[in-house]
Amino acid sequence: MTIRVCLAGATGWAGSAVARALTQTDDIELVSAVSRTYAGRVLGDVLAEPRLTALVFATAQEALTAHPCDVFFEFTKPDVAKLNVLTALEHGAHGVIGTSGLTDEDYEEIAKAAEKYQRGVLAVGNFALTVVLLQKFSEIAARFIPQWEIIDYAHEHKKDAPSGTVRELVNRLSKIRPSELTVPLEQTQGVKDTRGARMNGSQVHSLRLPSYTISAEIIFGLPDQRLTIRHDSGTSAEPYVDGSLLAIRKVNTFVGLRRGLDTVLDLS
Ligand SMILES: NC(=O)c1ccc[n+]([C@@H]2O[C@H](COP(=O)([O-])OP(=O)(O)OC[C@H]3O[C@@H](n4cnc5c(N)ncnc54)[C@H](OP(=O)(O)O)[C@@H]3O)[C@@H](O)[C@H]2O)c1
């Protein structure tokens, strides 16, 4: 059975890489795309890839109404992502979320809708295999080491903070335990904000500076020893493609919300 996909953000940096990859698959068909700028055009004309015959729509609602799909793939911006996924669930599609910047409250709402419509939603802060491993190794370390802090690095244009990768990491670690603080934040002398933000039991520091692409670093500390786990992304969207295709193939295998590609991978 071919999996029919609607790709929101198909003309963007990440979405266009996934769209191009879909021309190489036999089991997945791109039936519609979403982008405001190129609405009404054929995606293949926009991306100079004649094999992409899907039409581009200005909104998810229009795309989903015109062409039913099995999986709605969200790769746009956080301000429309939640509404897009809720609309897709109403239309009977499963959802894959690659867009970063959704809050835990957004995910709670999406989880309820997924249960209501008996569909799967897979939210992946980062589709790269090396990031999946960063998350997994960090979870193991947090079981043994009670103190850690996280640094989120990105280019100066990135508006959302922290990154989707770091949000997901924090969410995962919160299920293990909160990171301990030897000096409680309220007892900080000087400027408390320099200690970063407390998110779900982790201390997070976001840097936005020219020269970075996107990196995440978690530092675990024990007396007289330290463990640093760090991930650095390059400049192409290539690392996200294989994970995106895997998510499309796996999202119909469960009902409800899952966060992280490892939830559909066997990493044991
Ligand atoms: N999970 C991961 O592994 C991963 C990897 C890379 C990126 N991301 C995240 O994915 C998202 C997209 O990143 P990107 O770098 O590809 O961004 P981008 O290059 O700016 O592309 C955004 C895409 O979304 C469309 N779009 C934006 N706002 C829209 C709206 N209101 N309605 C309809 N379409 C809209 C854009 O087309 P129009 O402007 O023409 O509407 C464009 O096609 C970001 O949140 C980014 O952080 C996640």
Side-chain angles (χ1 to χ4, degrees):
M1 283 278 285
T2 304
I3 307 169
R4 297 165 302 166
V5 171
C6 169
L7 178 55
T11 59
W13 179 72
S16 61
V18 172
R20 288 197 171 91
L22 291 180
T23 62
Q24 312 287 330
T25 63
D26 293 331
D27 58 331
I28 306 173
E29 182 193 358
L30 187 62
V31 295
S32 61
V34 180
S35 145
R36 294 157 303 176
T37 316
Y38 299 101
R41 307 261 310 265
V42 173
L43 184 62
D45 295 342
V46 179
L47 299 185
E49 171 46 83
R51 285 173 293 180
L52 289 169
T53 54
L55 255 186
V56 182
F57 294 84
T59 65
Q61 174 79 42
E62 289 169 74
L64 290 156
T65 305
H67 296 284
C69 68
D70 304 301
V71 176
F72 176 84
F73 200 115
E74 169 51 48
F75 242 157
T76 64
K77 295 285 160 199
D79 50 343
V80 284
K82 182 183 77 176
L83 181 63
N84 282 354
V85 174
L86 293 176
T87 307
L89 289 168
E90 276 170 29
H91 280 76
H94 301 281
V96 175
I97 306 176
T99 310
S100 61
L102 280 83
T103 63
D104 285 341
E105 291 73 36
D106 292 333
Y107 281 121
E108 275 170 33
E109 207 177 319
I110 289 168
K112 280 189 195 140
E115 293 290 345
K116 179 177 168 191
Y117 293 106
Q118 291 291 288
R119 289 291 178 272
V121 175
L122 183 55
V124 181
N126 197 310
F127 288 101
L129 178 65
T130 43
V131 168
V132 174
L133 294 175
L134 166 97
Q135 310 270 15
K136 219 50 202 173
F137 296 156
S138 301
E139 284 175 297
I140 295 168
R143 295 214 305 266
F144 297 98
I145 309 175
Q147 289 184 281
W148 66 82
E149 303 214 3
I150 298 170
I151 310 178
D152 154 47
Y153 304 87
H155 53 83
E156 76 278 28
H157 300 293
K158 187 168 176 65
K159 287 188 182 154
D160 61 304
S163 66
T165 307
V166 166
R167 276 182 196 270
E168 196 169 294
L169 180 59
V170 159
N171 179 273
R172 283 157 173 278
L173 295 175
S174 72
K175 292 183 180 132
I176 295 173
R177 59 163 121 181
S179 167
E180 289 174 15
L181 293 161
T182 305
V183 177
L185 294 174
E186 56 281 8
Q187 288 176 26
T188 303
Q189 295 175 358
V191 183
K192 267 186 223 152
D193 289 352
T194 58
R195 292 289 295 111
R198 189 80 179 159
M199 282 187 72
N200 257 351
S202 286
Q203 217 53 35
V204 179
H205 312 261
S206 285
L207 273 66
R208 296 290 178 262
L209 283 173
S211 85
Y212 285 107
T213 303
I214 190 153
S215 302
E217 185 173 284
I218 178 162
I219 305 165
F220 291 89
L222 278 174
D224 220 18
Q225 49 182 318
R226 192 163 54 237
L227 169 69
T228 302
I229 307 175
R230 177 179 168 118
H231 180 270
D232 297 291
S233 296
T235 50
S236 90
E238 206 47 45
Y240 310 121
V241 168
D242 287 349
S244 297
L245 299 187
L246 180 77
I248 291 170
R249 292 184 173 115
K250 292 283 188 178
V251 69
N252 70 349
T253 59
F254 61 91
V255 166
L257 171 73
R258 290 195 188 176
R259 290 180 72 178
L261 198 63
D262 65 304
T263 61
V264 293
L265 276 174
D266 182 10
L267 287 179
S268 55

